[in-house]
Amino acid sequence: IITLFLTISLGALEIKEAYICRNVENRTPVQVDTLFESGIGYLYCFTALKAEAPDTIYHEWIYNNEVKAKIKLTINTPSENYRTWSKKTIMSLFTGEWTVRIKNAKDSLLKEIKFKIK
């Protein structure tokens, strides 16, 4: 019984899919890519995951080794296919390599996505 309780209370998260995309429509990423034009305006980080319990993840948008945004995303309910996303404005002068780090509530890295603005 104690083992079962610990498993439930820790609530495992499993990232199933994660993409950088131009938009999200009907809970689906649209125009997924790793290379985007300067002046794009904004991008989304779409994440599909398996959550055994309500939890929290964070999307850290990083440019030049500096966190430009850390967005908290709350997972409201256990799900085999929970979908969530964050949106980040990308100013045209921020060309080059970007990274989005998906982290759990304990700041552990779950997934990293790299993309480029040219």
Side-chain angles (χ1 to χ4, degrees):
I1 295 175
I2 292 172
T3 304
L4 178 60
F5 174 75
L6 290 175
T7 302
I8 291 170
S9 67
L10 291 175
L13 289 173
E14 176 189 333
I15 304 296
K16 296 170 82 172
E17 300 176 60
Y19 305 107
I20 303 301
C21 57
R22 195 62 193 101
N23 203 353
V24 177
E25 294 176 2
N26 298 317
R27 298 180 181 260
T28 303
V30 176
Q31 295 177 352
V32 172
D33 210 336
T34 57
L35 182 62
F36 300 92
E37 295 289 328
S38 173
I40 191 121
Y42 57 86
L43 291 171
Y44 291 82
C45 178
F46 173 88
T47 305
L49 51 90
K50 176 182 175 183
E52 294 180 359
D55 212 328
T56 301
I57 62 170
Y58 294 87
H59 285 174
E60 288 183 349
W61 292 77
I62 300 162
Y63 175 72
N64 280 344
N65 295 318
E66 181 183 335
V67 176
K68 295 295 184 182
K70 184 173 183 176
I71 302 169
K72 180 180 180 178
L73 301 163
T74 303
I75 300 160
N76 298 316
T77 184
S79 175
E80 289 289 319
N81 192 32
Y82 196 93
R83 293 162 291 175
T84 189
W85 53 90
S86 63
K87 179 180 177 181
K88 172 75 179 98
T89 300
I90 309 290
M91 296 193 297
S92 58
L93 60 110
F94 291 147
T95 58
E97 302 291 328
W98 280 79
T99 303
V100 175
R101 291 187 184 135
I102 303 170
K103 294 184 171 184
N104 66 14
K106 295 180 181 178
D107 206 38
S108 296
L109 183 64
L110 302 173
K111 181 144 182 96
E112 188 171 85
I113 309 167
K114 295 188 178 288
F115 66 97
K116 186 173 184 176
I117 304 293
K118 65 174 188 163

